[in-house]
């Protein structure tokens, strides 16, 4: 066969002769293929273009949102925020006034940002650096040009696709076989042009994607920087809000000038408060749940205060003058000696990470009582020292000892009982458990006129006895046993035992108990402490009482956190003073000038309405020392409790080696020493139990050195009280009776 015959045979195999049935079938298949090709590229090009347009300009909103740029932000009261825009209004409620101010500030900042975005038509904030600004602007220009290329390619695809569609339509209507070759050639040219344009669009999309991925990390760093700046700004604003709140409170506490305008009558105030209460009840809230107080207080008018000032019986100036004169005479008869300078700081707390698995694997196969807990959970103070910290505000008792009125004295005693919790607000670490027979003394006779001694009198259950005597007219003693219950998310610590306080001059004998302390977020989250429960302080000489209520923290309550309220009543139950404040900041008292019964509360009980004078500050917390957050949040007194002193007993907590090592920052050595002391204590207990079983004597157990057990004549309870001898032994430096526990 000739070459020409081979070529015609090949051509006939590639494309059937026009006009034949085979040619029509082939043309129909090719036409359907091109139509499907065109449809797929239309869908793909439109989808790609829509995707990149969405990524480049994302400016959509969600259902239920509110436009902050046109929103109006208003505050109703101390905790409520009203946010309205376009006929839609949201009522928001914060837990405290400081939290409300933080939300208002954040909303105002967001509103300003929304207005700036609307004006600039850009959601990106200006970078602080000029080089970063120019680089980001150049990148945005390149991205915009790539987006324009994508748009141009899309238009070309649409144009050439329409031309291809027309060619295919003409090809379908072809009847003359001679014209078939030219039409097919035109269709092939348009299909080739369509494929080239599509490839160009694909390459433009790939370039756009590569460029976006290249700069995504830089944008993430810029976004992280902006987030850090925003967080810093929020913290600064929060500090400003707290300072503003403190200034407002200081201004309210400052003595006000007598106004020339007459005060509103008391009845009008009561009606106004009732109307406000009714209006508040009509307002619908879905997140507020709180307990109403058992009484209502109304401050008396200015004229009432002037009429009642003559009936007030404060500590008399004459007795105060005589007391000061006595102190001056006592001091003048002695040689003046400079006070000892106490330390004001301890080594900073090391930043040791707590490996829970290393603790758990050491517990495998051991008895629960033999599991050594690391010092990571502790603070470098013992429970005896924490008990002594109750004397942080001893001047309240000094002032109470000078009072002529037992009711005013009761107010100061109540403030003292609340002040002992002020040091616990940031102290989430547990103190060291004292060893059996361990003691702690605090001799502040020269500085403040009192001496304190504690002893661990029992180990199972752990119990500590405490005795304080003051030259300024009072004696305090207590025995505290700690009971705890783990309730999953929190730990309840219940101090058992009574606290006794007796004033020498009047013979007033006060007795009260401590409330329950709760440590939250034991498993997950940041630890925080709350105090809750009731304290009843009873003066057993006059039968006067004080009922204190520690309100537990509630997310839905309008009250300030850590709130404490109380009523001081005489032996007949007649209320004379109202106490209010917080256990971490201050306590105030207000004298009642008139009382009446008000309306029924939510539980059907009739509330008492007390008309009082302006409140008087009883106690205010001292500020924490500088750098307290790195020193376990210790107060000024707590920083001095573990300071070494000469002449103390060999069982004193200051000499405990594991506690000293932890304070110095040597935690690994402290853990080893702590385990050694616990093993030594167990060995002593086993030896004592063996000796007791051999002697068949139940009384041969441990006997405290400085305390003995007796039945209290006032409460009828059996407790450990001080039997004397410690300070005499210190003067002789005779500690031969002290056991070797360290």
């Amino acid at each position: 066969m000739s070459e020409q015959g081979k070529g015609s045979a090949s051509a006939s195999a590639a494309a059937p002769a026009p006009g034949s049935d085979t040619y029509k079938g082939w043309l129909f298949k090719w036409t359907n293929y091109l139509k499907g090709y065109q449809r797929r590229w239309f869908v793909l090009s439109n989808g790609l273009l829509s995707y990149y347009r969405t990524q480049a300009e994302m400016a959509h909103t969600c259902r239920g949102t509110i436009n902050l740029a046109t929103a109006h932000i208003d505050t109703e009261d101390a905790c409520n925020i009203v946010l309205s825009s376009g006929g839609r209004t949201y009522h928001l409620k914060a837990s405290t006034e400081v939290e409300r101010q933080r939300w208002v500030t954040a909303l105002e900042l967001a509103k300003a940002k929304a207005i700036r975005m609307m004006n600039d038509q850009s959601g990106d904030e200006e970078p602080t650096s000029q080089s970063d600004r120019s680089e980001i602007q150049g990148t945005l220009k390149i991205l915009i040009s790539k987006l324009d290329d994508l748009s141009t390619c899309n238009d070309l695809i649409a144009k050439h696709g329409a031309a291809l569609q027309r060619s295919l339509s003409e090809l379908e209507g072809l009847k003359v076989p001679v014209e078939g070759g030219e039409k097919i050639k035109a269709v092939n040219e348009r299909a080739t042009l369509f494929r080239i344009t599509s490839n160009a669009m694909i390459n433009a999309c790939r370039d756009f994607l590569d460029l976006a991925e290249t700069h995504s990390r830089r944008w993430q760093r810029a976004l992280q920087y902006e987030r850090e700046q925003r967080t810093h700004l929020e913290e600064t604003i929060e500090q400003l809000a707290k300072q503003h709140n403190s200034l407002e409170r200081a201004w309210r506490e400052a003595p006000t000038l007598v106004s020339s305008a007459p005060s509103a009558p008391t009845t009008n105030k009561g009606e106004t408060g009732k109307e406000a209460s009714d209006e508040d009840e009509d307002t619908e809230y879905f997140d507020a749940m709180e307990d109403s107080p058992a009484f209502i207080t109304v401050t008396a008018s200015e004229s009432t205060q002037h009429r009642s000032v003559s009936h007030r019986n404060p500590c008399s100036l004459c007795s105060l003058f005589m007391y000061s004169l006595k102190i001056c005479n006592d001091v003048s008869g002695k040689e003046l000696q400079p006070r000892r300078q106490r330390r004001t700081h301890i080594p900073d707390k090391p930043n040791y990470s707590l490996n829970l698995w290393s603790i758990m694997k050491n517990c495998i196969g051991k008895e629960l009582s033999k599991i050594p807990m690391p010092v990571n959970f502790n603070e470098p103070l013992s429970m005896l020292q924490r008990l002594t910290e109750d004397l942080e505000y001893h001047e309240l008792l000094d002032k109470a000892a000078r009072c002529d009125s037992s009711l005013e004295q009761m107010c100061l005693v109540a403030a003292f009982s609340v002040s002992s919790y002020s040091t616990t607000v940031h102290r989430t670490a547990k103190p060291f458990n004292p060893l059996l027979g361990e003691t702690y003394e605090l001799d502040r006779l020269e500085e403040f006129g009192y001496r304190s001694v504690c002893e661990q009198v029992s180990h199972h259950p752990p119990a500590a006895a405490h005795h304080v005597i003051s030259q300024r007219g009072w004696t305090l003693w207590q025995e505290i046993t700690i009971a705890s219950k783990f309730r999953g998310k929190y730990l309840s610590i219940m101090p058992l035992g009574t606290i006794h306080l007796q004033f020498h001059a009047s013979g007033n004998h006060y007795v009260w108990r401590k409330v329950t302390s709760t440590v939250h977020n034991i498993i997950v989250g940041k630890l925080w402490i709350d105090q809750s429960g009731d304290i009843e302080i009873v003066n057993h000489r006059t039968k006067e009482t004080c009922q204190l209520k520690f309100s537990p923290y509630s997310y839905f309550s309008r009250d300030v956190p850590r709130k404490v309220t109380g009523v001081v009543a005489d032996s007949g139950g007649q209320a004379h003073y109202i106490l209010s404040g917080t256990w971490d900041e201050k306590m105030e008292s207000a004298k009642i000038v008139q009382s009446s019964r008000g309306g029924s509360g939510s539980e059907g009980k009739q509330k008492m309405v007390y008309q009082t004078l302006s409140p008087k500050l009883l106690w205010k917390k001292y500020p924490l020392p500088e750098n307290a957050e790195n020193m376990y949040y210790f107060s000024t007194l707590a920083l001095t409790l573990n300071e070494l002193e000469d002449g103390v007993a060999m069982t004193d907590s200051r000499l405990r080696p594991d506690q000293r090592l932890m304070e110095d920052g040597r935690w690994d050595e402290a853990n080893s020493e702590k385990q050694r002391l616990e093993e030594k204590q167990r060995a002593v207990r086993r030896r004592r139990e063996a000796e007791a079983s051999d002697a068949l004597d139940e009384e041969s157990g441990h006997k405290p050195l400085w305390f003995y057990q007796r039945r209290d004549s006032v409460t009828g309870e059996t407790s450990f009280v001080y039997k004397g001898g410690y300070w005499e032994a210190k003067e002789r430096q005779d500690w031969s009776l002290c056991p070797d526990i360290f």
Side-chain angles (χ1 to χ4, degrees):
M1 185 178 291
S2 63
E3 295 294 334
Q4 186 176 0
K6 291 180 181 179
S8 55
S10 175
S12 61
S20 62
D21 295 337
T22 307
Y23 174 77
K24 292 181 180 180
W26 175 83
L27 187 61
F28 180 74
K29 292 180 180 179
W30 175 248
T31 302
N32 292 335
Y33 172 75
L34 289 179
K35 285 183 178 179
Y37 181 77
Q38 179 192 26
R39 285 193 299 269
R40 286 194 295 271
W41 274 109
F42 275 160
V43 173
L44 178 61
S45 61
N46 290 329
L48 287 173
L49 188 60
S50 300
Y51 171 76
Y52 286 108
R53 278 178 177 171
T54 303
Q55 293 296 320
E57 299 177 0
M58 184 179 293
H60 61 276
T61 58
C62 301
R63 182 181 179 184
T65 57
I66 192 169
N67 188 4
L68 280 178
T70 59
H72 177 67
I73 303 171
D74 193 12
T75 56
E76 287 183 338
D77 53 20
C79 297
N80 290 300
I81 307 171
V82 178
L83 193 64
S84 58
S85 177
R88 179 175 295 172
T89 303
Y90 289 97
H91 294 270
L92 309 177
K93 183 176 180 181
S95 58
T96 62
E97 185 177 355
V98 175
E99 188 72 16
R100 193 264 337 236
Q101 187 61 36
R102 289 181 59 192
W103 273 105
V104 171
T105 305
L107 290 172
E108 292 289 352
L109 291 175
K111 179 180 178 180
K113 182 178 178 181
I115 295 174
R116 186 169 62 253
M117 290 172 59
M118 184 175 61
N119 295 334
D120 298 341
Q121 295 182 355
S122 174
D124 297 328
E125 296 182 359
E126 292 288 337
T128 56
S129 175
Q130 184 66 27
S131 59
D132 292 342
R133 185 186 300 111
S134 59
E135 185 176 358
I136 291 180
Q137 288 179 354
T139 304
L140 290 176
K141 289 181 180 179
I142 297 175
L143 291 177
I144 292 174
S145 64
K146 292 296 182 181
L147 190 62
D148 293 337
D149 294 342
L150 290 177
S151 180
T152 303
C153 292
N154 182 71
D155 295 338
L156 291 175
I157 287 176
K159 178 181 178 181
H160 294 301
L164 182 61
Q165 181 66 37
R166 289 194 301 271
S167 299
L168 291 175
S169 300
E170 293 175 359
L171 189 62
E172 288 178 351
L174 185 64
K175 296 181 179 180
V176 182
V178 180
E179 299 176 355
E182 297 178 356
K183 294 295 183 181
I184 292 174
K185 184 177 180 180
V187 168
N188 288 331
E189 290 176 355
R190 288 184 172 83
T192 302
L193 188 60
F194 187 86
R195 184 173 61 255
I196 294 173
T197 307
S198 302
N199 290 333
M201 183 176 181
I202 292 174
N203 293 332
C205 294
R206 186 181 295 111
D207 294 339
F208 183 90
L209 182 60
D210 293 339
L211 187 61
E213 289 179 350
T214 302
H215 292 275
S216 62
R217 295 180 180 177
R218 185 178 299 275
W219 291 343
Q220 288 177 358
R221 288 197 298 268
L223 179 61
Q224 181 65 25
Y225 173 79
E226 294 298 330
R227 286 176 177 172
E228 293 175 355
Q229 293 296 322
R230 185 187 65 182
T231 303
H232 178 68
L233 181 60
E234 289 177 352
E235 293 175 352
T236 304
I237 292 173
E238 180 182 359
Q239 293 178 358
L240 290 176
K242 291 181 179 179
Q243 294 175 2
H244 177 72
N245 193 19
S246 300
L247 288 175
E248 284 185 348
R249 292 182 178 178
W251 177 79
R252 291 170 185 166
E253 294 170 2
T256 57
L257 297 177
V258 179
S259 177
S260 58
S263 302
T266 307
T267 54
N268 293 346
K269 288 186 179 180
E271 292 175 0
T272 304
K274 188 175 185 301
E275 290 176 1
S277 176
D278 294 340
E279 182 181 354
D280 185 68
E281 290 176 358
D282 294 338
T283 307
E284 187 175 8
Y285 291 100
F286 298 95
D287 59 345
M289 295 175 60
E290 55 182 324
D291 296 332
S292 59
F295 54 85
I296 302 172
T297 59
V298 180
T299 305
S301 60
E302 191 76 23
S303 58
T304 308
Q305 295 187 36
H306 286 299
R307 288 197 304 268
S308 303
V309 70
S310 61
H311 298 287
R312 298 176 67 183
N313 187 18
C315 301
S316 64
L317 294 176
C318 182
S319 61
L320 180 60
F321 173 74
M322 295 300 294
Y323 180 80
S324 302
L325 185 61
K326 179 180 180 298
I327 291 178
C328 292
N329 292 333
D330 293 341
V331 172
S332 61
K334 299 178 181 179
E335 182 181 357
L336 293 178
Q337 297 179 354
R339 282 188 180 182
R340 174 180 175 179
Q341 293 294 328
R342 305 288 178 181
R343 66 180 184 179
T344 57
H345 67 277
I346 60 175
D348 288 354
K349 178 181 178 181
N351 188 16
Y352 284 159
S353 60
L354 184 62
N355 190 347
L356 293 178
W357 168 243
S358 64
I359 299 174
M360 294 174 63
K361 72 179 182 181
N362 292 332
C363 303
I364 298 176
K366 294 184 178 180
E367 296 181 7
L368 189 61
S369 60
K370 296 183 179 181
I371 296 176
M373 296 303 294
V375 299
N376 304 60
F377 296 102
N378 292 79
E379 61 180 14
L381 290 178
S382 71
M383 189 63 196
L384 302 180
Q385 292 166 315
R386 283 293 293 268
L387 202 60
T388 309
E389 258 191 280
D390 290 353
L391 303 174
E392 176 95 25
Y393 300 94
H394 60 88
E395 63 272 8
L396 292 172
L397 301 183
D398 298 341
K399 186 177 179 181
R402 302 192 297 267
C403 280
D404 294 335
S405 171
S406 59
L407 292 173
E408 289 187 359
Q409 190 178 73
M410 175 69 83
C411 294
L412 291 169
V413 172
F416 174 78
S417 67
V418 175
S419 69
S420 62
Y421 298 99
S422 62
T423 60
T424 64
V425 61
H426 299 295
R427 305 268 291 276
T428 55
K430 65 181 290 291
F432 279 79
N433 292 328
L435 303 175
L436 187 62
E438 184 175 336
T439 61
Y440 180 75
E441 69 162 71
L442 187 67
D443 191 350
R444 294 292 189 267
L445 196 63
E446 296 180 358
E447 294 99 328
F448 306 116
Y450 70 85
R451 278 176 164 178
S452 167
V453 60
C454 297
E455 184 179 2
Q456 186 76 2
V457 296
S458 174
H459 192 66
H460 291 292
H466 184 206
H467 182 268
V468 190
I469 185 169
S470 173
Q471 291 181 344
R472 300 179 183 176
W474 54 270
T475 301
L476 183 144
W477 67 95
Q478 58 180 326
E479 179 195 341
I480 298 298
T481 301
I482 301 297
S484 60
K485 289 186 179 180
F486 180 64
R487 305 180 184 273
K489 294 183 179 180
Y490 61 91
L491 178 69
S492 296
I493 303 172
M494 295 155 288
L496 307 177
T498 55
I499 304 173
H500 296 259
L501 173 64
Q502 188 170 18
F503 291 97
H504 304 162
S506 62
N508 290 332
H509 187 174
Y510 297 90
V511 177
W512 69 92
R513 299 175 183 270
K514 290 180 175 288
V515 296
T516 300
S517 301
T518 306
V519 184
H520 294 269
N521 296 339
I522 293 294
I523 303 299
V524 178
K526 183 179 179 180
L527 294 176
W528 61 279
I529 292 182
D530 192 22
Q531 316 289 344
S532 60
D534 297 331
I535 292 181
E536 182 183 27
I537 306 175
V538 181
N539 184 348
H540 284 275
R541 190 184 73 85
T542 63
K543 305 304 179 183
E544 296 165 348
T545 60
C546 175
Q547 302 289 339
L548 289 175
K549 179 178 178 58
F550 288 67
S551 300
Y553 174 78
S554 175
Y555 180 79
F556 302 102
S557 177
R558 292 185 185 180
D559 291 335
V560 295
R562 311 178 185 97
K563 182 179 179 181
V564 181
T565 56
V567 178
V568 176
D570 57 19
S571 58
Q574 179 67 32
H576 289 268
Y577 285 92
I578 294 295
L579 305 181
S580 61
T582 57
W583 54 263
D584 68 322
E585 186 176 354
K586 66 177 181 178
M587 285 297 293
E588 295 176 338
S589 67
K591 185 175 178 59
I592 300 174
V593 295
Q594 187 178 355
S595 61
S596 61
R597 295 193 176 274
S600 300
S602 58
E603 299 179 357
K605 297 180 180 179
Q606 199 171 16
K607 294 184 179 180
M608 292 297 298
V609 179
Y610 296 121
Q611 187 181 23
T612 65
L613 301 177
S614 297
K616 181 178 64 174
L617 183 66
L618 294 174
W619 159 76
K620 187 175 181 62
K621 180 186 177 182
Y622 298 144
L624 289 176
E626 186 179 358
N627 195 36
E629 63 276 4
N630 295 324
M631 298 186 296
Y632 309 91
Y633 287 97
F634 280 176
S635 63
T636 304
L637 175 63
L639 289 175
T640 65
L641 292 180
N642 207 40
E643 186 177 10
L644 288 174
E645 294 187 9
D646 297 331
V648 299
M650 64 178 63
T651 55
D652 196 274
S653 299
R654 298 178 180 89
L655 305 178
R656 182 166 174 167
D658 54 349
Q659 186 174 304
R660 179 64 57 185
L661 289 170
M662 181 188 179
E663 184 184 282
D664 294 338
R666 300 154 62 182
W667 284 18
D668 293 336
E669 299 176 51
N671 281 321
S672 301
E673 193 66 21
K674 182 173 181 289
Q675 189 171 0
R676 182 189 68 82
L677 291 176
E678 291 173 352
E679 289 295 334
K680 182 178 181 179
Q681 182 175 233
R682 295 189 188 101
V684 172
R685 186 177 70 248
R686 287 193 295 267
R687 184 172 63 253
R688 187 187 307 116
E689 291 174 353
E691 293 174 354
S693 61
D694 293 342
L696 299 177
D697 185 6
E698 297 181 356
E699 300 295 330
S700 61
H702 173 76
K703 291 183 175 60
L705 282 180
W706 315 112
F707 291 82
Y708 72 101
Q709 205 169 23
R710 75 169 187 187
R711 181 174 297 276
D712 189 85
S713 59
V714 175
T715 62
E717 298 176 350
T718 301
S719 61
F720 284 90
V721 295
Y722 182 60
K723 65 181 180 181
Y726 180 87
W727 302 110
E728 293 77 7
K730 182 180 180 181
E731 290 179 2
R732 299 190 308 268
Q733 283 298 297
D734 180 13
W735 305 116
S736 57
L737 297 178
C738 295
D740 180 18
I741 60 175
F742 298 146

